[in-house]
């Protein structure tokens, strides 16, 4: 009896010690590394972001990761001052879009992160800060970010080009057509629909013809008119459309949906950006955005209350 009681006391003592040890480790994992305007960044937050870095094949020091987390805190706080605060649904939508670009659903992306020991909130907090900051910069400094025609022409001249080679820009009016082929069908079905498409091309001399013919066909869809300029389209598609007579169809192409063609309903010159001008405009805008972002972030960070705790104070050198 006495021996059993002794074993129970020893077991209880060891159990309590294990709990104390586990609690200590949890406390260390959640210990506050930095306070930013009264909001904590924990060592756990840092470790999570470093794991996210590893997943995206980035190599940064702990201090660089911590600096990024501090920047995100001040960005979100600054956004709140001006009423810029994306909703949870906005963030979830962006998270889902990121997964879609990786050919994954939101749940699959969450599971993939979990497999690496990363909470989805780690990525979502980064997404939120980026959304806030982009909206804030674009909203507060939109006038200074504008790139005018004179700026573009100066850039073209500096590069030894007057844009003569791409001076003409077109506006294309198109109607996409799909001869649907089920994904469960064999290759013979795809080839049969390709031959059908080829035979129908010769009968189409206008978009009215295309509308009449393809609306009457089973398992076929003709979409509403889409309007794009030269700058909106990839070079390969521009070349195809420029070689296609107005009113006729582009060559059939096999896609995931089936056999696709485009009815070219109109093509006319436009004063909209040429592809070269669009490229220069976007590059110059990005340069202005980055410069303004850097200056603004330095300003709000200098005004922030940043207090390093424990070993982080030693690491930061502050």
């Amino acid at each position: 009896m006495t021996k059993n009681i002794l074993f129970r006391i020893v077991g209880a003592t060891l159990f309590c010690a294990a709990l104390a040890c586990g609690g200590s480790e949890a406390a260390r994992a959640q210990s506050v590394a930095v306070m930013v305007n009264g909001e904590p960044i924990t060592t756990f937050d840092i470790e999570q972001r470093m794991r996210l870095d590893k997943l995206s094949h980035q190599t940064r020091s702990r201090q660089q990761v911590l600096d990024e987390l501090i920047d995100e805190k001040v960005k979100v706080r600054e956004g709140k001052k001006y009423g810029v605060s994306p909703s949870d649904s906005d963030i979830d939508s962006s998270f889902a879009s990121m997964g879609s670009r990786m050919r994954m659903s939101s749940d699959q992306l969450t599971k993939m992160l979990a497999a690496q020991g990363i909470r989805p909130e780690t990525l979502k907090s980064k997404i939120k800060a980026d959304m806030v900051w982009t909206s804030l910069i674009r909203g507060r400094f939109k006038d200074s970010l504008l790139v005018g025609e004179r700026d573009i022409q100066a850039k073209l001249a500096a590069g030894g080009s007057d844009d003569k080679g791409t001076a003409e820009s077109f506006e294309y009016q198109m109607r996409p057509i799909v001869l649907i082929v089920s994904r469960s069908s064999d290759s013979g079905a795809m080839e049969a629909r390709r031959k059908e498409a080829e035979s129908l091309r010769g009968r189409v001399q206008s978009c009215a013809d295309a509308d009449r013919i393809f609306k009457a066909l089973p398992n076929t869809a003709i979409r509403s008119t889409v309007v794009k300029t030269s700058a909106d389209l990839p070079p390969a598609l521009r070349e195809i459309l420029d070689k296609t007579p107005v009113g006729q169809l582009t060559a059939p192409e096999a896609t995931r949906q089936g056999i696709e063609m485009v009815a070219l309903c109109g093509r006319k010159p436009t004063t909209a950006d040429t592809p070269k001008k669009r490229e220069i405009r976007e590059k110059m805008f990005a340069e202005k955005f980055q410069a303004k972002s850097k200056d603004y972030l330095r300003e709000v960070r200098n005004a922030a209350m940043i207090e390093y705790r424990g070993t982080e104070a030693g690491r930061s050198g502050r």
Side-chain angles (χ1 to χ4, degrees):
M1 175 73 76
T2 303
K3 188 182 289 186
N4 289 339
I5 293 173
L6 179 61
F7 283 152
R8 288 176 186 174
I9 292 172
V10 171
T13 303
L14 291 174
F15 179 69
C16 290
L19 284 178
C21 179
S24 175
E25 289 179 0
R28 283 198 298 272
Q30 289 286 355
S31 63
V32 175
V34 184
M35 294 293 291
V36 182
N37 294 319
E39 294 185 57
I41 295 174
T42 67
T43 53
F44 180 72
D45 295 330
I46 299 170
E47 296 301 330
Q48 282 280 294
R49 184 57 62 87
M50 292 184 79
R51 289 188 182 192
L52 189 62
D53 274 2
K54 185 177 179 180
L55 188 62
S56 58
H57 306 291
Q58 283 184 281
T59 303
R60 295 188 297 173
S61 68
R62 185 182 181 89
Q63 184 60 46
Q64 287 174 317
V65 170
L66 179 56
D67 282 337
E68 180 179 70
L69 291 170
I70 293 170
D71 289 346
E72 289 175 6
K73 288 287 187 187
V74 299
K75 286 175 179 180
V76 172
R77 182 182 176 88
E78 186 72 5
K80 286 180 180 178
K81 284 170 55 178
Y82 294 93
V84 180
S85 182
S87 66
D88 289 343
S89 62
D90 290 334
I91 296 167
D92 287 342
S93 177
S94 184
F95 183 84
S97 295
M98 186 174 292
S100 180
R101 290 193 294 273
M102 299 167 67
R103 299 182 182 277
M104 288 189 284
S105 66
S106 293
D107 288 343
Q108 289 172 328
L109 178 55
T110 298
K111 288 177 182 177
M112 186 269 285
L113 292 172
Q116 303 299 319
I118 303 167
R119 298 181 309 165
E121 289 76 14
T122 297
L123 178 54
K124 288 182 180 182
S125 66
K126 179 176 175 59
I127 290 172
K128 178 179 180 179
D130 289 342
M131 291 175 71
V132 167
W133 198 243
T134 299
S135 296
L136 195 57
I137 299 295
R138 286 178 178 271
R140 291 204 65 200
F141 306 106
K142 61 181 179 180
D143 291 339
S144 62
L145 294 175
L146 292 175
V147 179
E149 186 66 21
R150 185 176 298 177
D151 298 324
I152 295 172
Q153 291 299 338
K155 193 76 171 179
L156 285 168
S161 170
D162 58 2
D163 202 28
K164 292 293 185 184
T166 54
E168 197 168 20
S169 180
F170 291 99
E171 178 185 273
Y172 305 91
Q173 295 181 0
M174 304 166 285
R175 295 197 67 180
I177 297 164
V178 185
L179 278 67
I180 301 166
V181 178
S182 170
R183 293 186 186 180
S184 60
S185 301
D186 57 24
S187 58
M190 185 72 80
E191 185 58 28
R193 296 236 76 181
R194 181 193 293 277
K195 289 180 179 179
E196 182 182 5
E198 284 286 8
S199 68
L200 291 169
R201 283 183 73 199
R203 294 171 53 190
V204 175
Q205 299 299 314
S206 69
C207 277
D209 288 344
D211 190 68
R212 175 177 50 80
I213 292 170
F214 290 102
K215 278 187 175 179
L217 286 179
N219 298 320
T220 302
I222 179 166
R223 314 294 189 195
S224 300
T225 302
V226 176
V227 179
K228 298 287 184 181
T229 67
S230 298
D232 297 325
L233 303 173
L237 181 54
R238 287 201 308 269
E239 185 178 354
I240 290 171
L241 291 174
D242 288 340
K243 291 179 179 178
T244 301
V246 173
Q248 295 187 20
L249 305 179
T250 59
E253 181 181 357
T255 69
R256 294 178 65 185
Q257 291 184 304
I259 300 298
E260 296 193 24
M261 298 180 288
V262 172
L264 182 61
C265 301
R267 179 180 55 227
K268 61 182 181 181
T270 177
T271 56
D273 281 350
T274 63
K276 182 65 175 177
K277 286 183 177 180
R278 173 72 64 85
E279 178 187 340
I280 291 173
R281 187 185 301 278
E282 290 177 351
K283 184 177 180 180
M284 292 182 74
F285 177 88
E287 289 171 351
K288 287 188 173 191
F289 184 95
Q290 289 300 324
K292 183 61 70 176
S293 174
K294 186 176 180 179
D295 290 344
Y296 190 25
L297 180 58
R298 185 186 302 114
E299 177 188 328
V300 295
R301 180 159 171 157
N302 286 341
M305 296 288 292
I306 303 173
E307 179 189 353
Y308 291 82
R309 300 285 183 85
T311 56
E312 300 302 332
R315 289 193 181 115
S316 69
R318 301 186 185 190

